[in-house]
Structures are given as structure tokens and as C-alpha cells.
């Protein structure tokens, strides 16, 4: 069996807002990502999935827990190892309008990593950039242009080219398509799949669009209020969701067939997502859960393997269920 | 109802990548070119720019038109009206006023430019570091700034001028001693706004150093507000220099600045008003032009501030 390329163990990221209030954006999540696979991370806005991504790439220090990339704790890397990590793991950002520096040419944006790590300069730098532009479906004549001259989809391609410049092994895509038109979304996702095949990349794909995540991911983790609710193979999760939250999410995802869409059972998730400043006791989903029981308010459900390779944190599936 | 035909893969094929097939982009228009177009459309700013250019040209070429210089005294021709030889007349020591006005304009502008340059260097560095690092660093640096701001700058400048030897550089240093504070505030505010942008995060994920992020990513994006602040700080430096000279803390004779000329002319105002009029006119034109340019720059570089 191959070793996972990324291991996240009990990762926590808390933000101290002021003396008395702590925002627990990520509160203990664990998962593993195998080399070459795409791991989808889904959840509502504010559930901590972006924070998780940023902590994994070491934009934030972890409050607790650890992130092991190729067996090394990334928050403890120094010097040469840290530089190598900065090349091996790259990120694609959500907003293609904010993620490119408006005062730099496309050439300088894509070559930024090369410049920082002094990997190449002069003519070879130019060649690498032109090659990357063509890889992502842009023209090499675009290299002298500025970001504001491009459309959203083209900008996202530039963002992908920038991430590819250092030949990374692992790419965190933080909602790379949610700011794009639907037709352009498909282009970008297909480009990412093509690149994965060609370059053997591993993706951590963060999104809230379930249909896209299903399309691109091998395995999917569902987050709710800073905790992992369910984790399974993409097919298993979509055909047989265990956690009530996942069931609710899936039943709200649109189906392109109107007859099927009418017939299917709809599970509505009531209310708003509670404030992560003051999460509910016990199971965090209980305030909105249609199956909430008395035990849910008292005991936090344990993270367990309910079926082979299908993990869930819900009292409905625990063996010590008092009912 | 007949069922729609099933979609088949061979219906579509990807377009080959070529110059012709790629999306057409708008004509290339850089940031500065765009700003220049907006600047040109502002009549007042354009007039200001033309006036400044003309004034600079005359200040450098004008003194060649007659054989006098700014410091030679000739006590036989004191307080003369304008004539073919002395275009603007002479002062109470018989020095040619045409030469002295343009020499004074050059000195005043030089002081203003040096002061503005020092403002930028100190203000941008201080404000940039304070805004970028935030937290405790920011808190301490902001308290320093507030202390600087709370002392009346006239007091500081007068004390400094008494301590330093009068000269072009000391005056500029004294002016920028407190002059950098507004610049630091502007830069800090902008950096605070920009530092959470995703392109900064992108640079960090690639391992960019703080220096690189601050000076290669953030400061270039603050250039607009910095330039606007500079165009407003130049006239205020000229004004302050004139004021210092007027109260006798400026340059020493025979050197001249516009402030000294105004001060000299003021003493003989009732007898020879032209001695005050000419330097005052040049001072007014410089001040007005820079303020007009500043307004134009603000509209050109920061279109969002427009109503």
C-alpha cells in the first residue's frame, strides 16, 4: 500500500478575536490524501474549509494537531526543507480578480515562484512562461499583458499556470471555480483534470458546489462548523450519504433532469449555520438535524468508520447508541 | 414525444490553439497611459502642468538673457524700475531682480523636491512596515506617529533651524522632519487594505520574503496615493520654506529663495512695490500649478474617489 502524501491529524485553527472570544474556525479535522488522487472538501460558507486549506499550506500556524506532507510536519519546517515545501505545494485561489497583482505583467506573475527560488532567468524563464501559458490554453503573446485585460476564466488559467510554474506535487484549489460562469467552470475543471493526468498532481479541492466536487473528486470530506461530518469515496458518499447533513446537502443540489428532480425526496436543512464563536454542545449539527436525539446535545459523536472506507461522526451510527 | 438523441462525444472536437482562435483582448492600455488620458481631460490640471513646465524652462534659460548674476551688488543702481538692462528692476542693494527671482524659484523648488523625496522615503518605509506587520509593531509605530503629530511642527522646525546651519539641505530636512507623517498614514491605510488580498497570499504560499511582498507587491499598488500626496506636499513645502525665510530662519544672503525675496520686497513695499510683486507672483503660480496638478493626479490615479 502506498503512503499518503498528506496526512492531517486533529488539525485545529483558532483565532483569538479579543480577550474573551475565540473563533474555532477549524476544530479538529483528520484525513489523508493519497498521491495522485483528488480529495474534495465541501461545506457551507464559514464552515472552515478555506481556513483548513490555508493552514495546510502554512499560511496560518496550526493551533493544535499536525499536517504531515511526505511524512514531515510542515509547520516545523525550516530552511532548505521549507523552501522545498513551498515549491512542492501550491495553491489556486478563489477570486481570479484579487489573486493576480494588477501591477504586474502575466509574465512576472507566472514567473514569481521562479524568481523567488531563483530557478531560472532570462531566456529560459521566458520559455517556461510561454510553455505554461500554452499548457493552460492561453497564448504566449499574452505574456506582456496585465491581468485586468483578461476575463475571469482566463485569469483563473493564469493562476493555474502560476501554481504549475514550480512543478508542484500537490495543489490546494480553494474554490477555484465558484467565481466563474458555469460554462467557464467546466473549462477550468477539465483543464485541472487534464493537468492532473499529465503531471501526476494531487489535488485538495475545496468547494461548496457538490456537483463539481463529485465530478472531479475521488474522495470527499464534508465539513460542518469546523469539524468533519463525513468522509467517503465520492461514489459512496453520493449514492449513500450517512450523515443527515450530507443527506440534506445532496438533496438540495440540483439535478439536471426535471422529472427526477420532482420525484426525489427533499430534505430541507432548517435554519442558519450557528455561530462558530458559540457552537452547539455535543453534536454541532443537532440544532438543524431532523434526527436529533437527546444524546446529541450531551455527547459529541465520535469519528468512526461506519462502513469500510466510509467515516462519519453521528450518533445514528454509533454502536453505543442508547436507543 | 420523441426522446432527444443521445449526446455523442465525436460531435465536438477541441479547437487547436492558435493566435486566430484565442479570445480577442481589448487593446493594450497600461495603467499609466490610462491615467494620462484621464489627466489630459482635466483642463485645470493640464494648465497647471504647462505652467510648471514653462516656469522651469524660464528658471533655467531666463538667467542667460542678461549678463548680471543674482549676488553682485551695484550700489549706484539701487531700487531701479524695470528697464532693458534689468528686466524686473533691481533691489535695494542694486542686485538684478530678474536673476534673483529665477535663482530663488530654483532654490525653492529644490528645497521642496528634496523635502518631498525625504517624505516619501521615510513615510513609505514607516507606513509600509507599520501596516504590513500590524499587531504590536503597528501599535508602537502608531504611537510614535501620534507623538510626532501632536507637537506643533512650527516649534520643531524653528528649533531645528536654530540648531542646523542654514542651507538648502538643512531646511529640507527640517521640513520633512514632520512632513513624512501624513505620508506614513496614507501608506499604512492602503497597505492595511491591500495586505489581505489574495495575490499577497499567493506570494506567501510561494515563499516570498516580507521584503519582497512589501516592496514588490504592495508598494507598487500604493503608487497612486503616494504620487497624489507628493504633489500636494511640494507646494506646502514651498510655502513653509517661504514662511521660514520670511521670519528670518531661511537661507543666508546673498543666497535667495522666493521667501527671502518676498521678505526683502516687503520692507520696501510702500516705495518700490514691484520688488514684492514679482517674487510673490512666481510663488503664487508655483503654488497654484502644483495644486491644480495634484487635483488632476487624484482624479487620474484614483478614479474611485470621483463623485
Amino acid at each position: 500500500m502506498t503512503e499518503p502524501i498528506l496526512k492531517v491529524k486533529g488539525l485545529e485553527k483558532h483565532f483569538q478575536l479579543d480577550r474573551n472570544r475565540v473563533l474555532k474556525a477549524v476544530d479538529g479535522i483528520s484525513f489523508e490524501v493519497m498521491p495522485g488522487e483528488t480529495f474534495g472538501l465541501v461545506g457551507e460558507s464559514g464552515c472552515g474549509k478555506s481556513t483548513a486549506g490555508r493552514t495546510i499550506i502554512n499560511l496560518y500556524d496550526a493551533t493544535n494537531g499536525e499536517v504531515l506532507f511526505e511524512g514531515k510536519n510542515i509547520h516545523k519546517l525550516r530552511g532548505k526543507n521549507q523552501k522545498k515545501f513551498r515549491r512542492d505545494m501550491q495553491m489556486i485561489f478563489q477570486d481570479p480578480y484579487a489573486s493576480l497583482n494588477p501591477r504586474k505583467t502575466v509574465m512576472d506573475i507566472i514567473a514569481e515562484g521562479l524568481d523567488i527560488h531563483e530557478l531560472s532567468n532570462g531566456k529560459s524563464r521566458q520559455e517556461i512562461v510561454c510553455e505554461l501559458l500554452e499548457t493552460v490554453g492561453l497564448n504566449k503573446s499574452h505574456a506582456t499583458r496585465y491581468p485586468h485585460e483578461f476575463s475571469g476564466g482566463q485569469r483563473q488559467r493564469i493562476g493555474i499556470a502560476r501554481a504549475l510554474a514550480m512543478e508542484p506535487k500537490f495543489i490546494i484549489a480553494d474554490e477555484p471555480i465558484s467565481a466563474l460562469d458555469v460554462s467557464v467552470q467546466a473549462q477550468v475543471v477539465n483543464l485541472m483534470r487534464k493537468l492532473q493526468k499529465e503531471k501526476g498532481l494531487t489535488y485538495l479541492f475545496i468547494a461548496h458546489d457538490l456537483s463539481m466536487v463529485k465530478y472531479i473528486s475521488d474522495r470527499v470530506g464534508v465539513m460542518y462548523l469546523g469539524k468533519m461530518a463525513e468522509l467517503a469515496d465520492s461514489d459512496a458518499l453520493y449514492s449513500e450519504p450517512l450523515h443527515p447533513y450530507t443527506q440534506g446537502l445532496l438533496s438540495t443540489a440540483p439535478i439536471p433532469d426535471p422529472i427526477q428532480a420532482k420525484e426525489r425526496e427533499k430534505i430541507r436543512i432548517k435554519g442558519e449555520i450557528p455561530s462558530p464563536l458559540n457552537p452547539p454542545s455535543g453534536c454541532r449539527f443537532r440544532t438543524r438535524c431532523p434526527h436529533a436525539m437527546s444524546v446529541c446535545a450531551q455527547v459529541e459523536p465520535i469519528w468512526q468508520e461506519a462502513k469500510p472506507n466510509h467515516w462519519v461522526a453521528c450518533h445514528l451510527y454509533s454502536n453505543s447508541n442508547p436507543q | 414525444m420523441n426522446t432527444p438523441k443521445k449526446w455523442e462525444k465525436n460531435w465536438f472536437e477541441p479547437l487547436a490553439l492558435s493566435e486566430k482562435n484565442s479570445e480577442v483582448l481589448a487593446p493594450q492600455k497600461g495603467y499609466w497611459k490610462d491615467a494620462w488620458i484621464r489627466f489630459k481631460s482635466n483642463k485645470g490640471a493640464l494648465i497647471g502642468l504647462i505652467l510648471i513646465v514653462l516656469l522651469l524652462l524660464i528658471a533655467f534659460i531666463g538667467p542667460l538673457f542678461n549678463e548680471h548674476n543674482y549676488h553682485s551688488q551695484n550700489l549706484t543702481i539701487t531700487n531701479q524700475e524695470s528697464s532693458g538692462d534689468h528686466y524686473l528692476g533691481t533691489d535695494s542693494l542694486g542686485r538684478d531682480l530678474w536673476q534673483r527671482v529665477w535663482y530663488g524659484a530654483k532654490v525653492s523648488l529644490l528645497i521642496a523636491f528634496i523635502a518631498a523625496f525625504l517624505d516619501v522615503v521615510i513615510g513609505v518605509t514607516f507606513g509600509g512596515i507599520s501596516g504590513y506587520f500590524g499587531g504590536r509593531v503597528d501599535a508602537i509605530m502608531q504611537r510614535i506617529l501620534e507623538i510626532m503629530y501632536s507637537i506643533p511642527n512650527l516649534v520643531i522646525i524653528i528649533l531645528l533651524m536654530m540648531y542646523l546651519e542654514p542651507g538648502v539641505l538643512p531646511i529640507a530636512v527640517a521640513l520633512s522632519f514632520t512632513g513624512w507623517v501624513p505620508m506614513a498614514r496614507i501608506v499604512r491605510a492602503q497597505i492595511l487594505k491591500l495586505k489581505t488580498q489574495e495575490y499577497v497570499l499567493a506570494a506567501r504560499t510561494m515563499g516570498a520574503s516580507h521584503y519582497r511582498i512589501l516592496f514588490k507587491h504592495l508598494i507598487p499598488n500604493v503608487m497612486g496615493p503616494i504620487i497624489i500626496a507628493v504633489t500636494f506636499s511640494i507646494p506646502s513645502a514651498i510655502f513653509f520654506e517661504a514662511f521660514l525665510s520670511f521670519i528670518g530662519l531661511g537661507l543666508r544672503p546673498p543666497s535667495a529663495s522666493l521667501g527671502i525675496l518676498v521678505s526683502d520686497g516687503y520692507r520696501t513695499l510702500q516705495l518700490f512695490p514691484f520688488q514684492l510683486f514679482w517674487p510673490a507672483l512666481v510663488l503664487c503660480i508655483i503654488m497654484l500649478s502644483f495644486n491644480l496638478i495634484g487635483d488632476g493626479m487624484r482624479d487620474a490615479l484614483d478614479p474611485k474617489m470621483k463623485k
Side-chain angles (χ1 to χ4, degrees), chain A residues 36-56:
Chain A
E37 79 164 344
T38 301
F39 187 89
L41 197 57
V42 294
E44 277 171 279
S45 307
C47 71
K49 54 192 192 302
S50 284
T51 307
R54 288 178 180 185
T55 313
I56 290 168

Side-chain angles (χ1 to χ4, degrees), chain A residues 25-32 38-50 52 204-211 213-214 217-253 269 273 283-285 288 301-304 309-314:
Chain A
V26 177
D27 203 14
I29 59 169
S30 304
F31 59 90
E32 293 178 349
T38 301
F39 187 89
L41 197 57
V42 294
E44 277 171 279
S45 307
C47 71
K49 54 192 192 302
S50 284
L204 174 63
F205 193 92
I206 301 171
H208 56 245
D209 180 341
L210 286 161
S211 47
V213 171
K214 182 186 177 187
S217 304
D218 300 310
R219 287 192 304 139
V220 178
V222 180
M223 273 184 80
Y224 186 78
L225 268 184
K227 287 218 180 265
M228 199 68 103
E230 188 166 359
L231 193 163
D233 285 349
S234 174
D235 292 334
L237 188 89
Y238 282 82
S239 61
E240 202 187 349
L242 295 180
H243 199 284
Y245 178 59
T246 319
Q247 290 166 0
L249 275 184
L250 284 175
S251 84
T252 54
I269 302 175
I273 188 163
C283 171
R284 299 193 168 194
F285 186 58
R288 302 165 78 190
I302 49 162
W303 183 237
Q304 54 178 347
N309 290 324
H310 196 144
W311 294 70
V312 68
C314 179

Side-chain angles (χ1 to χ4, degrees), chain B residues 211-276:
Chain B
Y211 176 86
R212 185 182 174 89
I213 291 171
L214 188 53
F215 288 97
K216 294 246 162 118
H217 285 281
L218 292 170
I219 301 289
N221 281 290
V222 193
M223 269 336 270
I226 290 174
I227 289 173
I228 294 161
V230 168
T231 40
F232 283 114
S233 82
I234 286 175
S236 84
I238 291 176
F239 190 80
F240 228 98
E241 185 278 325
F243 171 74
L244 282 180
S245 300
F246 193 81
I247 61 171
L249 288 168
L251 296 169
R252 294 269 163 83
S255 191
S257 72
L258 289 174
I260 289 176
L261 294 173
V262 168
S263 162
D264 286 350
Y266 159 80
R267 284 186 212 130
T268 53
L269 175 62
Q270 285 182 321
L271 294 169
F272 311 106
F274 68 90
Q275 289 184 4
L276 173 67

Side-chain angles (χ1 to χ4, degrees), chain A residues 24-288:
Chain A
K24 297 181 177 177
V26 177
D27 203 14
I29 59 169
S30 304
F31 59 90
E32 293 178 349
V33 183
M34 294 297 170
E37 79 164 344
T38 301
F39 187 89
L41 197 57
V42 294
E44 277 171 279
S45 307
C47 71
K49 54 192 192 302
S50 284
T51 307
R54 288 178 180 185
T55 313
I56 290 168
I57 202 168
N58 201 7
L59 275 176
Y60 302 145
D61 288 325
T63 309
N64 264 316
E66 51 187 15
V67 178
L68 302 174
F69 181 71
E70 295 184 317
K72 293 187 192 107
N73 187 343
I74 60 123
H75 292 108
K76 297 223 164 77
L77 292 177
R78 292 288 173 269
K80 214 172 165 188
N81 288 333
Q82 187 175 28
K83 278 207 145 168
K84 187 174 177 298
F85 168 72
R86 288 294 184 204
R87 283 164 55 181
D88 284 345
M89 195 188 275
Q90 291 295 315
M91 195 160 190
I92 300 170
F93 289 88
Q94 175 178 7
D95 184 354
Y97 290 88
S99 63
L100 308 178
N101 188 338
R103 291 297 163 77
K104 290 198 161 201
T105 60
V106 170
M107 167 85 73
D108 287 339
I109 288 170
I110 295 177
E112 164 119 50
L114 304 176
D115 295 344
I116 291 170
H117 297 279
E118 292 163 357
L119 294 178
S120 80
N121 51 42
K123 195 135 188 157
S124 70
R125 175 179 184 263
Q126 209 167 339
E127 273 163 22
I128 292 173
V129 171
C130 290
E131 210 181 293
L132 283 166
L133 277 173
E134 288 187 345
T135 311
V136 298
L138 290 170
N139 236 300
K140 27 179 200 208
S141 64
H142 292 163
T144 55
R145 301 273 189 153
Y146 286 88
H148 68 94
E149 298 171 46
F150 294 90
S151 68
Q154 288 175 318
R155 284 161 169 245
Q156 202 56 291
R157 286 163 188 270
I158 296 170
I160 293 172
R162 169 175 61 187
L164 291 175
M166 285 188 280
E167 296 170 348
K169 296 176 184 156
F170 193 100
I171 290 182
I172 297 180
D174 186 2
E175 306 205 32
I177 52 168
S178 53
L180 304 174
D181 286 351
V182 179
S183 60
V184 182
Q185 285 187 358
Q187 286 178 13
V188 171
V189 167
N190 285 334
L191 172 68
M192 287 179 67
R193 278 174 68 125
K194 189 187 108 196
L195 292 170
Q196 182 171 37
K197 250 182 249 160
E198 287 171 9
K199 298 180 189 285
L201 295 168
T202 310
Y203 287 137
L204 174 63
F205 193 92
I206 301 171
H208 56 245
D209 180 341
L210 286 161
S211 47
M212 270 304 171
V213 171
K214 182 186 177 187
Y215 178 65
I216 194 168
S217 304
D218 300 310
R219 287 192 304 139
V220 178
V222 180
M223 273 184 80
Y224 186 78
L225 268 184
K227 287 218 180 265
M228 199 68 103
E230 188 166 359
L231 193 163
D233 285 349
S234 174
D235 292 334
L237 188 89
Y238 282 82
S239 61
E240 202 187 349
L242 295 180
H243 199 284
Y245 178 59
T246 319
Q247 290 166 0
L249 275 184
L250 284 175
S251 84
T252 54
I255 307 176
D257 180 347
I259 300 160
Q260 208 188 324
K262 249 179 223 165
E263 281 171 354
R264 72 169 163 168
E265 187 195 359
K266 282 204 183 71
I267 305 165
R268 289 229 167 77
I269 302 175
K270 301 165 290 184
E272 289 285 317
I273 188 163
S275 164
L277 278 176
N278 188 17
S281 61
C283 171
R284 299 193 168 194
F285 186 58
R286 70 178 165 84
T287 51
R288 302 165 78 190

Side-chain angles (χ1 to χ4, degrees), chain B residues 20-39:
Chain B
K20 196 172 93 232
N21 293 334
S22 70
E23 271 179 79
V24 181
L25 295 180
Q28 187 155 14
K29 207 161 70 173
Y31 174 81
W32 297 110
K33 204 175 168 193
D34 205 37
W36 171 238
I37 288 168
R38 277 197 296 269
F39 185 84

Side-chain angles (χ1 to χ4, degrees), chain B residues 5-23:
Chain B
K5 247 202 219 158
K6 185 125 173 56
W7 179 83
E8 281 175 47
K9 216 163 192 170
N10 58 15
W11 288 5
F12 300 96
E13 56 179 73
L15 213 57
L17 190 70
S18 77
E19 197 76 33
K20 196 172 93 232
N21 293 334
S22 70
E23 271 179 79

